Amino acid sequence: VLGNENRFVHDPAVEGWPWRGYALGAHAVRALSTLLAAVAVAAVFGLARRTFDGPERDALALAVAALVAFNPQWLALSAAVTNDVLIAMLAAVALWLLARVLDGACTWPTLIALAVVVGLAPLAKLSGLALLGFAVATLAWDGWRNRDARLAGGRIVLLGASAAVLAGWWYARNVQLYGSPTGIAYMLIEGVGR
């Protein structure tokens, strides 16, 4: 039967309060997921404040953040054990930091935070590599716009080094184990048992 089917029976004697073992672990990870979702909503608010202009800026930013925060699918993901919330949070924070860079507010703390966030994204999910590419392209465009290729190059090297240090080991491990940096062939049904 396809659809909304309860696949697990939970025993309150084993999984009830006070939580222990795997139940405690699952609740702790769900709490972390909720915290990451809250950070993502805050980053969306910050990005919207930088995007909009005028006296209605704060109200519009709050409306955008509320649109994300109260989306039913976002609420469901925010309480689940999944890495989808982590990559969404990293992307939202990276976009907010890139908006700061483009607004001319690229301080060292902003650049270091961007390097950490973009460096962790490919470790959180394979699609995080796209975020790294987008950040590099944005910094290159900002350097071209400001006619400062040397500064842009230094920023891009910092991002690349951060990604190599924070996530590079995972891709090197995949090459060693699977002969591929992504290991996708072993995640697909056809790759099982190779």
Side-chain angles (χ1 to χ4, degrees), residues 166-185:
L166 294 173
W169 66 270
W170 178 259
Y171 293 93
R173 173 195 168 274
N174 284 345
V175 168
Q176 184 180 19
L177 290 177
Y178 308 121
S180 159
T182 63
I184 286 179

Side-chain angles (χ1 to χ4, degrees), residues 24-25 30 58 102 126:
L24 176 61
R30 288 177 68 192
D58 288 341
L102 292 176
L126 186 57

